[in-house]
Amino acid sequence: MMAQQYPCEELRDNKGQSRGVWLTVPARLAFEHLATPEDGKYSCALVFPPDADLTPLFEAARGAATQKWGAAVPKNLRSPFKEQSELADKYDGFSKDGGLFINCSSKFAPLYYATDAKTKIALTSDLIWAGCFVRVGLNPYTYDKDGQGKPVTPGVAFGIQFVQFFADGERLSGGIDATEY
């Protein structure tokens, strides 16, 4: 339902020019390291509803690959899109019903916008959490080397530009519920 009301879209400036950033449909936040980096990176997983139309993100990823490699896109190209069913048995918040998720990251602290999409706020861990719903501004990029310049399997990934809180959601904290014992 939310995915149809708030579609994935390419962001453009006031002259209609692409900014190279795509705003996601509302997605559930998982493995959140956005307020405090882990291993020098700000990162998260975005868990999309099974009915989400991610066509603009697929096209953006395909466009980044074509821009980098032209018609010779590697056959072993790693996709940023993963099946939620791969993690559904191990982690809360992931579905076996055909939904997708992506991992995304940034070397820099992402901007955070309040629900009104106009107010910038310093991102803290009490504003967003694993389990809440967010819309995220992403830019696609390609890679074929690791951080030290060594060759790796080529792929496309998404960088985080900004995060916008969308709605509350049950916390995905993991661990054992002590009330069960």
Side-chain angles (χ1 to χ4, degrees), residues 122-139:
L123 185 56
T124 61
S125 58
D126 60 330
L127 294 173
I128 59 170
W129 58 91
C132 75
F133 290 86
V134 294
R135 294 185 81 189
V136 179
L138 301 172
N139 67 299

Side-chain angles (χ1 to χ4, degrees), residues 18-100:
S18 172
R19 300 175 94 184
V21 176
W22 281 258
L23 182 62
T24 68
V25 300
R28 193 148 196 216
L29 195 58
F31 307 116
E32 180 270 319
H33 299 283
L34 295 173
T36 306
E38 181 178 68
D39 299 327
K41 283 188 356 184
Y42 298 87
S43 63
C44 68
L46 298 175
V47 182
F48 297 107
D51 64 341
D53 179 6
L54 301 177
T55 302
L57 291 179
F58 282 109
E59 290 172 354
R62 189 176 312 114
T66 302
Q67 185 175 12
K68 167 86 174 178
W69 292 290
V73 172
K75 296 206 182 315
N76 63 340
L77 187 72
R78 286 188 176 169
S79 171
F81 303 97
K82 313 273 190 260
E83 293 286 335
Q84 289 182 41
S85 59
E86 293 175 17
L87 300 180
D89 289 333
K90 287 176 70 175
Y91 300 105
D92 289 339
F94 290 83
S95 170
K96 293 182 180 182
D97 296 334
L100 298 175

